[in-house]
Amino acid sequence: MSEEEIDRPKKLLRKPVQRRRFYRLRYPENEGPRFIIDEKTVYRVFEISEGGARVYVPDSSLFHVHDTLEGELRFREENDDGEEAYKDETVPVKGIIIRIHESVIVIQFDDKDNVPLENMIQEQVRIRAKFPLAFSTKEY
């Protein structure tokens, strides 16, 4: 048996290295927060981290890489009746568009305008409770 064959099980048992600066939370369809630019301009977020977001925009031709975007994120919460609704409070964010692909823009938030870790944890708990399989498979 070669040294490579002997070391192979060790390589398979190693945990993958986390190379991202922030944990990403991908939402099942229509579960993500809203990105609000103004009263009439509201987009759906389908992936978020403390440092950025992937946002669905119907007309990506309105945006360009390196554009600065400023707005607010409105997250969901469970109300007293056990139903979900959007929170009254919003999280202000500002960042630049780093990528555009079809109807998706990717925004990297400024360091001082990151999504608070508290919001990220609340969202992860909410999604795990509502969609237990979302974290056990790639497709949901």
Side-chain angles (χ1 to χ4, degrees), residues 6 8 21 29 36 41 45 48 55-56 70 72 94 96 102 108 117 121-122 127 136 138:
I6 293 170
R8 187 163 187 235
R21 186 170 163 205
E29 193 166 336
I36 304 164
T41 313
V45 175
I48 196 165
V55 180
Y56 171 77
E70 195 167 346
E72 299 174 325
K94 181 180 178 182
I96 61 166
E102 296 176 2
Q108 181 178 353
L117 180 59
I121 292 170
Q122 288 171 352
I127 294 299
S136 63
K138 288 279 185 190

Side-chain angles (χ1 to χ4, degrees), residues 22-34:
F22 299 110
Y23 171 79
R24 286 184 177 185
L25 178 60
R26 186 169 189 174
Y27 291 96
E29 193 166 336
N30 296 319
E31 286 297 322
R34 298 296 182 239

Side-chain angles (χ1 to χ4, degrees), residues 79-137:
N79 62 24
D80 295 336
D81 299 330
E83 296 178 9
E84 280 196 0
Y86 285 101
K87 294 180 179 182
D88 291 332
E89 313 89 49
T90 59
V91 176
V93 291
K94 181 180 178 182
I96 61 166
I97 298 173
I98 59 170
R99 191 169 38 260
I100 299 172
H101 180 73
E102 296 176 2
S103 295
V104 175
I105 60 172
V106 180
I107 306 166
Q108 181 178 353
F109 301 140
D110 294 347
D111 283 338
K112 64 181 186 313
D113 290 312
N114 285 345
V115 176
L117 180 59
E118 178 183 349
N119 289 91
M120 292 300 302
I121 292 170
Q122 288 171 352
E123 284 294 279
Q124 184 177 358
V125 167
R126 182 180 73 81
I127 294 299
R128 276 184 186 261
K130 193 170 180 180
F131 301 95
L133 297 179
F135 290 86
S136 63
T137 63

Side-chain angles (χ1 to χ4, degrees), residues 17-67:
V17 176
Q18 167 65 322
R19 292 191 172 103
R20 298 198 181 278
R21 186 170 163 205
F22 299 110
Y23 171 79
R24 286 184 177 185
L25 178 60
R26 186 169 189 174
Y27 291 96
E29 193 166 336
N30 296 319
E31 286 297 322
R34 298 296 182 239
F35 179 59
I36 304 164
I37 295 178
D38 58 42
E39 288 180 12
K40 295 181 181 181
T41 313
V42 179
Y43 299 112
R44 181 172 59 92
V45 175
F46 64 92
E47 187 174 273
I48 196 165
S49 74
E50 292 167 81
R54 289 173 46 142
V55 180
Y56 171 77
V57 294
D59 185 1
S60 62
S61 69
L62 300 173
F63 302 94
H64 301 90
V65 173
H66 304 297
D67 281 355

